[in-house]
Short mmCIF file of all heavy atoms in Angstrom, two decimals:
data_model
loop_
_atom_site.label_atom_id
_atom_site.label_comp_id
_atom_site.label_asym_id
_atom_site.label_seq_id
_atom_site.Cartn_x
_atom_site.Cartn_y
_atom_site.Cartn_z
N ASN M 1 9.19 -11.48 -9.97
CA ASN M 1 8.74 -10.40 -10.83
C ASN M 1 8.28 -9.17 -10.00
O ASN M 1 7.27 -8.57 -10.31
CB ASN M 1 7.57 -10.96 -11.69
CG ASN M 1 8.05 -11.78 -12.84
OD1 ASN M 1 9.03 -11.44 -13.48
ND2 ASN M 1 7.30 -12.85 -13.10
N MET M 2 9.06 -8.91 -8.96
CA MET M 2 8.77 -7.75 -8.09
C MET M 2 9.18 -6.50 -8.82
O MET M 2 9.98 -6.52 -9.75
CB MET M 2 9.45 -7.91 -6.76
CG MET M 2 9.14 -9.21 -6.03
SD MET M 2 10.24 -9.55 -4.64
CE MET M 2 9.62 -8.41 -3.40
N LYS M 3 8.67 -5.37 -8.36
CA LYS M 3 8.99 -4.08 -8.90
C LYS M 3 9.31 -3.07 -7.78
O LYS M 3 8.63 -3.01 -6.76
CB LYS M 3 7.85 -3.47 -9.77
CG LYS M 3 7.63 -4.20 -11.10
CD LYS M 3 6.63 -3.44 -11.92
CE LYS M 3 6.49 -4.14 -13.30
NZ LYS M 3 5.58 -3.41 -14.22
N GLY M 4 10.37 -2.29 -7.98
CA GLY M 4 10.78 -1.35 -6.97
C GLY M 4 9.76 -0.25 -6.68
O GLY M 4 9.53 0.06 -5.51
N THR M 5 9.13 0.22 -7.70
CA THR M 5 8.12 1.28 -7.55
C THR M 5 6.95 0.74 -6.80
O THR M 5 6.31 1.44 -5.97
CB THR M 5 7.66 1.84 -8.89
OG1 THR M 5 7.31 0.72 -9.77
CG2 THR M 5 8.80 2.63 -9.56
N ASP M 6 6.61 -0.54 -6.98
CA ASP M 6 5.52 -1.16 -6.22
C ASP M 6 5.82 -1.33 -4.76
O ASP M 6 5.01 -1.09 -3.87
CB ASP M 6 5.20 -2.51 -6.87
CG ASP M 6 3.99 -3.21 -6.24
OD1 ASP M 6 2.96 -2.53 -6.12
OD2 ASP M 6 4.10 -4.42 -5.88
N ILE M 7 7.13 -1.67 -4.49
CA ILE M 7 7.56 -1.78 -3.10
C ILE M 7 7.48 -0.44 -2.37
O ILE M 7 7.05 -0.38 -1.19
CB ILE M 7 9.00 -2.30 -3.04
CG1 ILE M 7 9.05 -3.80 -3.47
CG2 ILE M 7 9.58 -2.19 -1.66
CD1 ILE M 7 10.39 -4.39 -3.65
N VAL M 8 7.84 0.60 -3.07
CA VAL M 8 7.78 1.95 -2.45
C VAL M 8 6.32 2.34 -2.12
O VAL M 8 6.07 2.83 -1.03
CB VAL M 8 8.41 2.99 -3.42
CG1 VAL M 8 8.15 4.39 -2.92
CG2 VAL M 8 9.90 2.75 -3.57
N LYS M 9 5.41 1.96 -3.04
CA LYS M 9 3.98 2.27 -2.76
C LYS M 9 3.47 1.46 -1.53
O LYS M 9 2.76 2.03 -0.72
CB LYS M 9 3.17 1.93 -3.99
CG LYS M 9 3.34 2.88 -5.16
CD LYS M 9 2.54 2.40 -6.36
CE LYS M 9 2.76 3.31 -7.57
NZ LYS M 9 2.03 2.84 -8.77
N LYS M 10 3.92 0.25 -1.42
CA LYS M 10 3.51 -0.61 -0.34
C LYS M 10 4.13 -0.12 1.01
O LYS M 10 3.49 -0.22 2.04
CB LYS M 10 3.92 -2.06 -0.55
CG LYS M 10 3.08 -2.71 -1.69
CD LYS M 10 3.59 -4.06 -2.04
CE LYS M 10 2.71 -4.74 -3.18
NZ LYS M 10 3.25 -6.01 -3.60
N LEU M 11 5.35 0.39 0.92
CA LEU M 11 5.97 0.95 2.11
C LEU M 11 5.18 2.18 2.60
O LEU M 11 4.90 2.30 3.82
CB LEU M 11 7.39 1.33 1.81
CG LEU M 11 8.15 2.17 2.91
CD1 LEU M 11 8.23 1.38 4.20
CD2 LEU M 11 9.53 2.57 2.44
N ARG M 12 4.78 3.04 1.68
CA ARG M 12 3.98 4.20 2.03
C ARG M 12 2.64 3.81 2.67
O ARG M 12 2.26 4.40 3.72
CB ARG M 12 3.73 5.03 0.78
CG ARG M 12 2.88 6.32 0.97
CD ARG M 12 3.66 7.42 1.70
NE ARG M 12 3.48 7.39 3.13
CZ ARG M 12 4.16 8.10 4.01
NH1 ARG M 12 5.08 8.95 3.55
NH2 ARG M 12 3.94 8.03 5.26
N ALA M 13 2.03 2.79 2.10
CA ALA M 13 0.76 2.39 2.66
C ALA M 13 0.93 1.77 4.05
O ALA M 13 0.12 1.97 4.92
CB ALA M 13 0.14 1.30 1.74
N GLN M 14 2.06 1.05 4.27
CA GLN M 14 2.28 0.44 5.59
C GLN M 14 2.55 1.52 6.63
O GLN M 14 2.09 1.46 7.77
CB GLN M 14 3.41 -0.53 5.50
CG GLN M 14 3.56 -1.41 6.77
CD GLN M 14 2.36 -2.36 6.89
OE1 GLN M 14 2.07 -3.08 5.93
NE2 GLN M 14 1.76 -2.39 8.06
N LEU M 15 3.31 2.56 6.22
CA LEU M 15 3.59 3.64 7.19
C LEU M 15 2.27 4.29 7.60
O LEU M 15 2.05 4.58 8.78
CB LEU M 15 4.49 4.67 6.52
CG LEU M 15 5.96 4.26 6.35
CD1 LEU M 15 6.69 5.25 5.45
CD2 LEU M 15 6.65 4.21 7.72
N ASP M 16 1.39 4.55 6.59
CA ASP M 16 0.11 5.17 6.90
C ASP M 16 -0.72 4.29 7.80
O ASP M 16 -1.36 4.75 8.78
CB ASP M 16 -0.64 5.44 5.62
CG ASP M 16 0.04 6.51 4.76
OD1 ASP M 16 0.98 7.13 5.23
OD2 ASP M 16 -0.34 6.67 3.57
N LYS M 17 -0.72 3.00 7.48
CA LYS M 17 -1.53 2.06 8.30
C LYS M 17 -1.03 1.93 9.73
O LYS M 17 -1.86 1.83 10.68
CB LYS M 17 -1.50 0.66 7.64
CG LYS M 17 -2.21 -0.45 8.42
CD LYS M 17 -2.07 -1.80 7.67
CE LYS M 17 -2.76 -2.87 8.48
NZ LYS M 17 -2.62 -4.17 7.78
N ASN M 18 0.27 2.02 9.90
CA ASN M 18 0.86 1.96 11.26
C ASN M 18 0.77 3.24 12.00
O ASN M 18 1.25 3.29 13.19
CB ASN M 18 2.30 1.53 11.16
CG ASN M 18 2.48 0.09 10.63
OD1 ASN M 18 1.55 -0.59 10.42
ND2 ASN M 18 3.76 -0.29 10.44
N GLY M 19 0.18 4.26 11.46
CA GLY M 19 0.03 5.54 12.18
C GLY M 19 1.14 6.53 11.93
O GLY M 19 1.29 7.46 12.76
N TYR M 20 1.87 6.40 10.86
CA TYR M 20 3.03 7.26 10.63
C TYR M 20 2.84 8.05 9.29
O TYR M 20 3.76 8.09 8.48
CB TYR M 20 4.32 6.50 10.59
CG TYR M 20 4.57 5.81 11.93
CD1 TYR M 20 4.38 4.46 12.08
CD2 TYR M 20 5.06 6.57 13.02
CE1 TYR M 20 4.63 3.81 13.32
CE2 TYR M 20 5.32 5.96 14.23
CZ TYR M 20 5.09 4.57 14.38
OH TYR M 20 5.35 3.97 15.55
N LYS M 21 1.63 8.61 9.09
CA LYS M 21 1.45 9.39 7.85
C LYS M 21 2.34 10.59 7.79
O LYS M 21 2.58 11.12 6.63
CB LYS M 21 -0.03 9.82 7.80
CG LYS M 21 -1.02 8.70 7.63
CD LYS M 21 -2.47 9.25 7.51
CE LYS M 21 -3.45 8.11 7.27
NZ LYS M 21 -4.84 8.57 7.11
N ASP M 22 2.85 11.08 8.90
CA ASP M 22 3.70 12.28 8.86
C ASP M 22 5.14 11.96 8.40
O ASP M 22 5.89 12.88 8.09
CB ASP M 22 3.79 12.86 10.27
CG ASP M 22 4.27 11.85 11.32
OD1 ASP M 22 3.46 11.01 11.76
OD2 ASP M 22 5.47 11.90 11.72
N VAL M 23 5.55 10.68 8.43
CA VAL M 23 6.91 10.31 8.05
C VAL M 23 7.07 10.61 6.56
O VAL M 23 6.32 10.11 5.71
CB VAL M 23 7.22 8.86 8.39
CG1 VAL M 23 8.56 8.44 7.79
CG2 VAL M 23 7.20 8.62 9.88
N GLU M 24 8.10 11.33 6.27
CA GLU M 24 8.35 11.75 4.89
C GLU M 24 9.24 10.68 4.21
O GLU M 24 10.20 10.19 4.78
CB GLU M 24 9.05 13.08 4.86
CG GLU M 24 8.19 14.20 5.44
CD GLU M 24 9.05 15.46 5.73
OE1 GLU M 24 10.21 15.49 5.31
OE2 GLU M 24 8.50 16.36 6.40
N MET M 25 8.92 10.39 2.97
CA MET M 25 9.66 9.43 2.17
C MET M 25 10.19 10.01 0.92
O MET M 25 9.46 10.66 0.17
CB MET M 25 8.79 8.20 1.88
CG MET M 25 9.48 7.08 1.14
SD MET M 25 8.45 5.57 0.99
CE MET M 25 7.06 6.24 0.01
N LYS M 26 11.46 9.73 0.60
CA LYS M 26 12.09 10.21 -0.65
C LYS M 26 12.70 9.03 -1.41
O LYS M 26 13.47 8.28 -0.84
CB LYS M 26 13.20 11.24 -0.29
CG LYS M 26 13.89 11.80 -1.54
CD LYS M 26 14.98 12.78 -1.15
CE LYS M 26 15.71 13.32 -2.34
NZ LYS M 26 16.85 14.27 -1.96
N LEU M 27 12.34 8.97 -2.65
CA LEU M 27 12.90 7.90 -3.54
C LEU M 27 14.24 8.36 -4.08
O LEU M 27 14.32 9.41 -4.70
CB LEU M 27 11.93 7.60 -4.70
CG LEU M 27 12.44 6.64 -5.75
CD1 LEU M 27 12.71 5.28 -5.16
CD2 LEU M 27 11.45 6.53 -6.91
N ILE M 28 15.29 7.65 -3.75
CA ILE M 28 16.66 8.02 -4.18
C ILE M 28 16.99 7.40 -5.60
O ILE M 28 17.63 8.03 -6.39
CB ILE M 28 17.71 7.54 -3.18
CG1 ILE M 28 17.38 8.11 -1.77
CG2 ILE M 28 19.14 7.91 -3.64
CD1 ILE M 28 17.43 9.60 -1.73
N GLY M 29 16.49 6.21 -5.81
CA GLY M 29 16.75 5.61 -7.10
C GLY M 29 16.29 4.16 -7.07
O GLY M 29 16.04 3.57 -6.03
N ASP M 30 16.14 3.60 -8.33
CA ASP M 30 15.67 2.18 -8.45
C ASP M 30 16.46 1.54 -9.56
O ASP M 30 16.63 2.07 -10.67
CB ASP M 30 14.20 2.21 -8.77
CG ASP M 30 13.64 0.77 -8.96
OD1 ASP M 30 14.13 -0.12 -8.29
OD2 ASP M 30 12.64 0.63 -9.74
N VAL M 31 17.04 0.38 -9.27
CA VAL M 31 17.72 -0.43 -10.26
C VAL M 31 16.92 -1.76 -10.40
O VAL M 31 17.05 -2.62 -9.53
CB VAL M 31 19.21 -0.71 -9.86
CG1 VAL M 31 19.85 -1.64 -10.87
CG2 VAL M 31 19.96 0.57 -9.72
#
């Protein structure tokens, strides 16, 4: 029961935690 939008949020949080707040993320689509 995973959700794509939830995964994207967790990816953003992990990038920030790992010291990569400057990395830009763009959502292309979710199925």
Side-chain angles (χ1 to χ4, degrees):
N1 282 320
M2 303 167 76
K3 289 188 176 182
T5 51
D6 185 47
I7 291 173
V8 171
K9 290 178 182 177
K10 290 173 179 176
L11 172 61
R12 179 72 269 170
Q14 192 68 50
L15 287 169
D16 294 350
K17 178 181 177 180
N18 293 356
Y20 299 103
K21 291 184 178 181
D22 58 283
V23 172
E24 299 164 9
M25 181 172 64
K26 179 181 179 181
L27 174 61
I28 304 299
D30 180 31
V31 177

